[in-house]
């Protein structure tokens, strides 16, 4: 394994051995470590002193199921703190097959430029990519596949990343070459754009450099682990059938589906945007109700959503997106929401921060709640780079300031996702305390709060939430480092044989002898590093809080507030 | 003396005795103390838990010369920290005559409203002011004088404050009733707007409630102090003759006039925007080259600037404004800059943050540097509330994010004023360390760095700057509490008899026995309170820094960088 360092100021590409202390790190563990080691926390996120690290997880390219997540780490232009954002798609596996432990992109061009990075078995080159100027991710992918071959993975930024907007994502193509998978959160696309990079093409070639210390043991453990994943009702049935959109009805029922910019916990039109409605619509239009975002994913929670004529409209159409443009904005038309998802994928913006921004613009009086045509028009402006497009494309916190409203659901300037923190309190603790800014995946308490996975913790009560969030945040740091999709947490939480098999996979691949506690201690180390970076960046526990209105306004139907004290929240990651 | 408390949620107005611990406080000392005592530092600046405190200085309405500054304190929506912004005009004296020590505005209406607060000898009332919706400060003043009498003081917000933009100011009318004086910095206008207040009318009536323990001693001290002010070459000659614009040529000569968004320290067209050119222009057009922003000001550094036809164009046209729209944006036409000043006064935005924002928009490619017609058109958008108007009206930091540029001269999100921190290093120390965000007035090191007042500290060297900034910041906190214009610092720094006369005035008015050191200790207390509030608000010493490019890019003609270490900066207010 090697590390590739790309200096975008001098255009020098160099290769390094992996330092001994980085050997056991991958994915988020490695991106956070390198950012922490190499980036001055006081740097401007869009300046030459920030870096962007791309790292496949420790299991990338292996036989481990659903382990193809790619981590991107940087200092976030959205939160001002450390950021790891991961995505599916085929990049992680391609990089692992080429023997890359990480790609470090540093420095920046003197003037604005647009470059293409090509990573092939022959090496890494930097080429001019002026011909891709202000093109969307769909076009970029089509042009680059024509130029570089049908089988390449394309990572790219759309117009938003070029403009360095703080909701800009990095798209990663799925097995069909569509830019439906995104490192969505925290503005990683703006950082790539600031480095003068429009796209990275990865051609893995034929050779596979992934090695195992003991492939037979690995294969056995992977097979056992896959069985656990498939045997669990959520990862084995719910997600494959309906995708993450299965959560619309579940959260609505639980009173935790934030509606009208967090004014209500239930949406009158939940049914029309539900996973079940989506399933029927896809079937009727001959799309794909189930789809793997990367080879080797056995949960296949993605899908292909066609338009009324039966032509491809969008894919990777997630619950959080449907919520953000749907219930949050009081929009009930699933086709309109699908078009917005497509636009976000194309322009390269985070669907959560952008959707929440649209709702905040409604709050600020720019549009009426429920105006789907207005919302579609508004989103188009992002691609055009008009002033209103730049406002929305900078996310919810920015949009709130533009329209002078205080009702802005963000933590560390990052938008809250699709679970009301008052009625799904474990999520609230995670939003407040994760070093990432409001992020549901950082400690997905929906498990025990709503789905009864890993035991039951009453979502409406404070008891047990801090411990739940803490344990999940630690476990997630591990999964993000291995390159696992977080949905493998479902079997891990309910089937006590599952996590030991993860340990077996680690030990049989890397010739180590870690037990579960040692592995979890590694997760804790990642969080410690991230928190320390944030502190050096000027983010203190004062920023580990939800906006005041969650403490002051009770949300229907359960009429609960977010009632944790500061001291309780501060205990979450106190280790 | 009494305190008036206005609850904008319940519309209840109440009056309170002054607490014993507040007796010795006025102006900034009092606003910072009340904000610190009553506002949870974690509150949203535009929410019901923030407050806005209006307080005349301790000498307001007295015979002390140039002591009519009005302090407004709040948690700033721009910096996120504590804010005191003070202005001339007639409000402070009117409030003092009515016997008000402070007005505290708290809570906010449920829905968006526009109200008028009337403060008269009969009491304080709240009236609907829907008829003033989206009117500029000039119109507001005209309408309210017609309604309430020619002699009232009007404090108001323009369109920007109504929209709660973070560069929104609060206008205070001058003796001619023009809204040329502003609490400009930090978005105090947005807070007033968030409280549903469009304007505050103050009718002082005939009675004067200002009292003295020993008026004769006070009169003697005031007379002696006035002599010192008038005898000093800066406060007695330079400022009355040319206004603050006298600094254009001086700073250009010193290589400290930031040009083209801080790319250069000299502006090729400095002469055409200089105080001398302004003086000749005003004379030719029969304006007023000298003008007092409040009765009793003996420096009279303001002016009335007429257009080519000889009609009133603007007034209170300051060096920092001329710099921001001039050298910073590479604009050389003084009439264009005067029109921009007028628009800022009318829409109610800080000329510094707005001017810097226009230059940052140029940096981001929205306009060309030097395009005065484009800049004028751009400013008009603020009044219209269009998306680009909202971007600019939210100030430089916001505009930088909108256009994805890292070259944004701000500290704590507040724009740097008209003195390059690399070639006027004492100012740089003040920008970095004052609790207010980049602010030249907080510790005006131009004195010893450029003007040779209070000794000479080489502006290009680090030696002595930290001490200079510290001492000036402490002294300024005192002057801001007394209601003095900071320009009285010139005689205080050079004439050792001046400050003892300030002590004499305090003691003869308030029956106290303070010596100079005790008075300065009070200034230190104000800074301590402000720093502690900021810490509770999540602002740490990591935010006491200049943007990286000042450390990395040397500025011509002296080719100097801002080379202080973090440790050196941290010593500035370490007490």
């Amino acid at each position: 394994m090697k590390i590739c360092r790309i200096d975008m100021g001098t255009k020098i590409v160099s290769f390094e051995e992996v330092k001994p202390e980085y050997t056991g790190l991958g994915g988020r563990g490695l991106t956070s470590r390198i950012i922490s080691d190499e980036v001055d926390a006081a740097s401007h996120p869009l300046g030459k002193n920030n870096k962007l690290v791309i790292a496949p997880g420790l299991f990338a390219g292996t036989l481990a199921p659903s382990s193809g997540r790619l981590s991107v780490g940087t200092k976030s232009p959205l939160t001002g703190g450390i950021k790891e954002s991961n995505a599916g798609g085929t990049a992680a596996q391609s990089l692992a097959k080429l023997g890359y432990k990480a790609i470090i992109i540093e420095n920046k061009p003197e003037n604005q430029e647009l470059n293409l990075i090509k990573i092939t078995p022959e090496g890494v080159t930097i080429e001019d990519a002026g011909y891709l100027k202000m093109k969307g991710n769909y076009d970029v992918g089509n042009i680059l596949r024509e130029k570089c071959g049908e089988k390449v993975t394309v990572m790219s930024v759309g117009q938003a990343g070029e403009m360095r907007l703080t909701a800009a994502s990095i798209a990663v193509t799925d097995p069909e070459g569509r830019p439906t998978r995104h490192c969505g959160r925290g503005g990683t696309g703006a950082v790539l754009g600031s480095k003068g990079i429009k796209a990275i093409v990865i051609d893995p070639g034929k050779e596979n450099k992934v090695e195992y210390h003991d492939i037979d043991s690995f294969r056995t453990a992977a097979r056992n682990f896959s069985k656990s994943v498939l045997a669990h009702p959520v990862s084995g049935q719910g997600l494959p059938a309906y995708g993450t959109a299965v959560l619309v009805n579940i959260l609505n029922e639980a009173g935790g589906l934030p509606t009208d910019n967090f004014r209500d916990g239930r949406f009158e039109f939940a049914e029309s945007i539900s996973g079940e409605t989506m399933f029927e619509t896809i079937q009727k239009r001959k799309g794909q109700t189930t789809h793997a975002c990367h080879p080797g994913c056995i949960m296949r929670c993605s899908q292909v959503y066609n338009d009324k004529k039966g032509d491809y409209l969008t894919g990777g159409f997630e619950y959080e997106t449907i919520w953000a443009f749907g219930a949050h904005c009081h929009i009930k038309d699933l086709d309109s929401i699908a078009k917005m998802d497509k636009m976000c994928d194309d322009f390269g913006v985070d669907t959560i921060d952008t959707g929440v921004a649209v709702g905040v613009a409604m709050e600020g009086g720019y549009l009426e709640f429920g105006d789907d045509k207005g919302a579609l028009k508004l989103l188009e402006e992002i691609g055009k780079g008009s002033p209103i497009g730049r406002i929305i494309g900078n996310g919810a916190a920015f949009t709130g300031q533009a329209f002078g409203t205080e009702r802005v659901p963000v933590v560390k300037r990052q938008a809250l996702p699709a679970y009301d923190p008052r009625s799904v309190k474990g999520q609230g603790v995670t939003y407040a305390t994760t070093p990432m800014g409001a992020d549901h995946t950082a400690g997905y308490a929906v498990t025990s709060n709503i789905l009864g996975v890993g035991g039951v913790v009453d979502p409406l009560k404070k008891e047990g939430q801090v411990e739940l969030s803490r344990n999940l945040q630690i476990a997630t740091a591990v999964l993000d480092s291995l390159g696992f999709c977080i949905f493998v947490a479902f079997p891990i939480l309910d089937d006590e044989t599952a996590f030991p098999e993860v340990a077996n996979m680690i030990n049989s691949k890397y010739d180590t002898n870690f037990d579960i506690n040692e592995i979890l201690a590694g997760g804790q180390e990642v969080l410690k590093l991230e928190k320390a970076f944030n502190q050096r960046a000027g983010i203190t526990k004062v920023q580990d809080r939800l906006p005041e209105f969650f403490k002051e306004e009770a949300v229907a139907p359960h009429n609960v507030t977010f009632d944790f004290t500061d001291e309780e929240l501060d205990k979450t990651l106190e280790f």
Side-chain angles (χ1 to χ4, degrees), chain A:
Chain A
M1 301 287 280
K2 60 185 178 271
I3 286 179
C4 171
R5 194 178 287 274
I6 305 175
D7 184 317
M8 290 305 296
T10 62
K11 303 285 158 56
I12 291 172
V13 176
S14 56
F15 299 90
E16 298 166 15
E17 292 301 302
V18 176
K19 290 183 198 173
E21 61 269 34
Y22 288 178
T23 325
L25 302 175
R28 174 175 169 188
L30 185 57
T31 62
S32 286
R33 177 67 187 268
I34 295 175
I35 293 300
S36 187
D37 284 352
E38 299 194 7
V39 175
D40 178 349
S43 306
H44 194 293
L46 302 180
K48 68 182 167 68
N49 296 325
N50 195 12
K51 305 193 180 190
L52 187 110
V53 182
I54 300 170
L58 285 168
F59 285 168
T62 70
L63 305 164
S66 307
S67 65
R69 306 286 297 185
L70 180 81
S71 288
V72 166
T74 193
K75 177 175 174 175
S76 166
L78 181 69
T79 69
I82 199 164
K83 173 57 62 179
E84 183 265 1
S85 185
N86 61 65
T90 57
Q93 293 169 333
S94 297
L95 286 172
K97 284 179 187 166
L98 287 166
Y100 287 107
K101 184 129 180 122
I103 312 287
I104 303 174
I105 299 167
E106 57 191 28
N107 207 344
K108 64 184 274 192
E110 282 282 319
N111 300 308
Q112 280 203 36
E113 295 177 359
L114 228 44
N115 293 283
L116 168 69
I117 308 287
K118 270 169 80 173
I119 304 177
T120 68
E122 284 71 47
V124 176
T125 56
I126 307 174
E127 298 177 6
D128 175 74
Y131 55 94
L132 297 175
K133 192 170 166 59
M134 287 301 266
K135 292 212 181 296
N137 287 313
Y138 274 91
D139 276 354
V140 169
N142 291 336
I143 293 168
L144 291 179
R145 269 189 306 280
E146 191 156 313
K147 187 180 158 75
C148 306
E150 277 305 308
K151 293 207 167 148
V152 298
T153 299
V154 179
M155 294 176 65
S156 60
V157 297
Q159 294 88 339
E162 272 189 65
M163 293 186 282
R164 302 166 301 281
L165 307 184
T166 52
S169 63
I170 298 175
V172 182
T173 48
D174 65 18
E176 287 72 38
R178 289 170 178 149
T180 60
R181 316 311 308 185
H182 288 252
C183 297
R185 310 229 63 193
T188 57
V191 179
L192 200 63
S194 76
K195 302 294 183 201
I197 297 174
K198 178 69 179 177
I200 300 170
V201 162
I202 309 164
D203 178 352
K206 294 201 157 53
E207 200 188 345
N208 184 344
K209 294 194 172 173
V210 176
E211 287 172 354
Y212 301 83
H213 165 67
D214 177 350
I215 192 167
D216 295 328
S217 302
F218 193 96
R219 189 178 286 124
T220 305
R223 194 180 300 132
N224 292 338
F225 187 67
S226 296
K227 278 185 197 155
S228 291
V229 172
L230 293 173
H232 193 278
V234 178
S235 51
Q237 295 161 40
L239 289 170
Y242 297 110
T244 55
V246 69
L247 289 164
V248 174
N249 276 337
I250 295 172
L251 266 295
N252 193 56
E253 183 59 33
L257 183 73
T259 299
D260 299 355
N261 194 24
F262 290 81
R263 277 209 173 65
D264 203 337
R266 283 194 181 140
F267 180 41
E268 54 177 329
F269 301 116
E271 188 54 43
S272 70
I273 61 167
S274 68
E276 292 79 352
T277 299
M278 185 169 156
F279 177 84
E280 287 165 25
T281 309
I282 292 175
Q283 277 205 320
K284 206 161 55 188
R285 298 178 182 174
K286 305 204 188 317
Q288 287 174 249
T289 58
T290 186
H291 171 268
C293 80
H294 63 275
C297 180
I298 58 175
M299 291 179 283
R300 302 176 55 85
C301 72
S302 186
Q303 72 300 98
V304 171
Y305 186 96
N306 289 345
D307 63 16
K308 282 179 182 148
K309 294 188 221 152
D311 295 329
Y312 174 85
L313 174 52
T314 195
F317 189 25
E318 306 291 349
Y319 164 64
E320 285 74 16
T321 308
I322 294 169
W323 160 77
F325 292 109
H328 173 66
C329 294
H330 214 98
I331 289 175
K332 62 183 173 186
D333 182 58
L334 197 57
D335 280 346
S336 293
I337 300 170
K339 283 177 199 158
M340 296 192 232
D341 180 59
K342 168 78 169 283
M343 277 198 265
C344 288
D345 285 353
D346 198 32
F347 303 149
V349 284
D350 178 22
T351 56
I352 297 173
D353 236 297
T354 307
V356 174
V358 172
V360 167
M362 290 171 168
E363 181 77 39
Y366 187 80
L367 281 180
E368 295 290 315
F369 277 100
D371 179 3
D372 59 336
K373 290 193 181 56
L376 280 162
K377 256 184 78 178
L378 178 53
L379 277 195
E380 278 170 15
E381 298 297 319
I382 299 176
K384 295 180 190 163
S386 69
I388 186 67
R390 286 171 182 269
I391 289 173
I392 299 296
N394 266 302
F398 194 82
T399 301
Q401 192 177 337
F403 291 102
T405 175
E406 56 152 330
R407 197 185 179 84
V408 188
V410 295
V411 175
K412 301 179 182 73
R413 298 182 70 82
Q414 184 168 293
L416 261 65
Y419 314 86
D420 197 294
R422 292 161 292 190
S423 42
V424 192
K425 288 192 195 293
Q427 282 304 104
V429 174
T430 295
Y431 297 160
T433 61
T434 162
M436 295 298 151
D439 179 350
H440 58 296
T441 67
Y444 193 60
V446 172
T447 47
S448 310
N449 275 188
I450 302 292
L451 302 172
V453 172
V456 171
V457 177
D458 185 339
L460 304 177
K461 298 209 172 106
K462 293 203 293 182
E463 285 67 38
Q465 306 291 6
V466 164
E467 297 71 22
L468 175 64
S469 175
R470 178 192 304 132
N471 292 335
L472 289 169
Q473 289 195 55
I474 293 170
T476 303
V478 172
L479 298 180
D480 288 345
S481 300
L482 295 170
F484 269 132
C485 171
I486 57 157
F487 293 153
V488 305
F490 295 118
I492 287 175
L493 288 165
D494 278 341
D495 174 358
E496 63 184 17
T497 71
F499 203 43
E501 295 295 4
V502 173
N504 289 341
M505 285 188 275
I506 294 174
N507 293 330
S508 56
K509 175 162 166 54
Y510 289 97
D511 191 18
T512 50
N513 199 18
F514 293 125
D515 65 20
I516 291 176
N517 288 331
E518 288 166 320
I519 293 167
L520 289 174
Q524 205 163 309
E525 283 308 307
V526 174
L527 289 164
K528 272 194 205 172
L529 266 183
E530 292 169 346
K531 277 195 67 169
F533 183 94
N534 280 1
Q535 255 159 15
R536 295 197 302 277
I539 296 176
T540 69
K541 62 184 180 180
V542 180
Q543 279 83 32
D544 288 345
R545 306 288 178 254
L546 292 186
E548 289 156 286
F549 69 88
F550 289 112
K551 295 177 224 170
E552 295 173 348
E553 283 179 31
V555 67
H558 300 297
N559 298 317
V560 278
T561 60
F562 188 74
D563 48 358
F564 292 88
T565 64
D566 292 350
E567 293 67 34
E568 287 166 341
L569 291 176
D570 291 342
K571 280 191 188 125
T572 314
L573 299 187
E574 205 174 76
F575 42 68

